[in-house]
Amino acid sequence: MAAVRTSNCRTELGDVTPHNLKQLRKLNTVVFPVTYNDKFYDDVLGLGDLAKLAYFNDIVVGAVCCRVDTSENKRRLYIMTLGCLRPYRRHGIGGLLLAHVVKMAKDDGNINSIYLHVQVNNEEALAFYQKHGFRIKERKERYYKRIEPADAFVLEKEVKDLLAITDN
Ligand code: ACO
């Protein structure tokens, strides 16, 4: 596991396995307004290092799930979910998860960019991703079917700029 220790606190990333999949599901249910279906969680088990849980002193407090996307004639890493339980926010856990995604993109060697959708009113996530150098590419109207506001911003970061993310 990749681990970061600050004073007496230990933050580390771990694999998603059939044994802890329920914890990922619980976390996502609390953190995101969107409900992910059984297929999402079945597929997560096949993602390998593109899905990780974040542990804070051995408690699951965050997670990221990505997939390789080959639409628009590009090979991109798409962040499906990246989140952290509210009491543990602003302690660098989101940053640790994003740094892992960046490492995956760099190590792949053939990824053009990292991108994601975010609800237009999600100021926390917008501040987080913009702090890490992501830029708003477009606004997708009525992107979400069951939540309001339904519009999403597409945020993207080119791989050639990825070095700057880990330097932040
Ligand atoms: N307001 C302003 N800036 C912020 C905020 C905020 N609420 N949150 C993070 N940032 C910026 C800051 O610059 C922060 O650095 P600082 O604390 O030194 O000032 C920097 O981002 C890094 O913050 P972290 O502590 O690494 O991030 P955190 O662990 O709080 O996670 C996250 C950020 C993932 C966005 C969290 O707020 C969260 O889980 N939100 C709910 C789920 C969500 O909306 N996820 C993104 C949806 S899009 C998607 O998943 C693809």
Side-chain angles (χ1 to χ4, degrees):
M1 282 202 214
V4 174
R5 185 183 282 278
T6 49
S7 61
N8 288 327
C9 301
R10 183 181 163 83
T11 310
E12 56 196 342
L13 301 187
D15 294 338
V16 179
T17 71
H19 304 290
N20 58 31
L21 191 63
K22 271 191 185 161
Q23 284 183 279
L24 173 67
R25 192 190 274 263
K26 264 192 183 165
L27 181 113
N28 281 354
T29 304
V30 175
V31 167
F32 299 106
V34 172
T35 304
Y36 296 91
N37 60 22
D38 289 346
K39 182 177 183 319
F40 176 91
Y41 291 102
D42 287 347
D43 291 350
V44 162
L45 290 176
L47 290 174
D49 283 335
L50 294 179
K52 288 285 177 189
L53 295 173
Y55 292 84
F56 183 82
N57 288 345
D58 297 327
I59 303 164
V60 173
V61 297
V64 63
C65 300
C66 309
R67 61 178 160 77
V68 175
D69 178 287
T70 51
S71 61
E72 299 181 11
N73 289 328
K74 293 181 204 159
R75 198 159 178 277
R76 300 184 289 175
L77 220 48
Y78 178 63
I79 303 178
M80 298 185 283
T81 59
L82 187 158
C84 176
L85 295 176
R86 187 170 292 285
Y88 298 91
R89 289 181 195 164
R90 302 305 287 268
H91 291 294
I93 290 164
L96 187 67
L97 291 164
L98 187 57
H100 174 75
V101 176
V102 168
K103 184 175 181 329
M104 288 292 101
K106 281 186 189 168
D107 288 355
D108 181 279
N110 194 23
I111 295 283
N112 302 104
S113 64
I114 301 171
Y115 82 108
L116 58 116
H117 291 89
V118 62
Q119 207 176 2
V120 290
N121 67 342
N122 189 342
E123 289 173 12
E124 281 186 315
L126 287 167
F128 170 76
Y129 283 112
Q130 287 177 327
K131 150 87 193 275
H132 287 286
F134 283 72
R135 298 281 169 262
I136 295 177
K137 284 279 187 185
E138 65 175 302
R139 182 181 181 125
K140 286 204 169 167
E141 298 199 353
R142 309 302 307 165
Y143 175 77
Y144 298 104
K145 305 282 177 277
R146 293 178 187 84
I147 55 172
E148 286 292 338
D151 292 3
F153 287 127
V154 178
L155 296 181
E156 190 161 27
K157 173 90 180 174
E158 301 297 323
V159 155
K160 59 181 167 51
D161 301 329
L162 287 180
L163 208 54
I165 296 181
T166 44
D167 289 346
N168 276 336

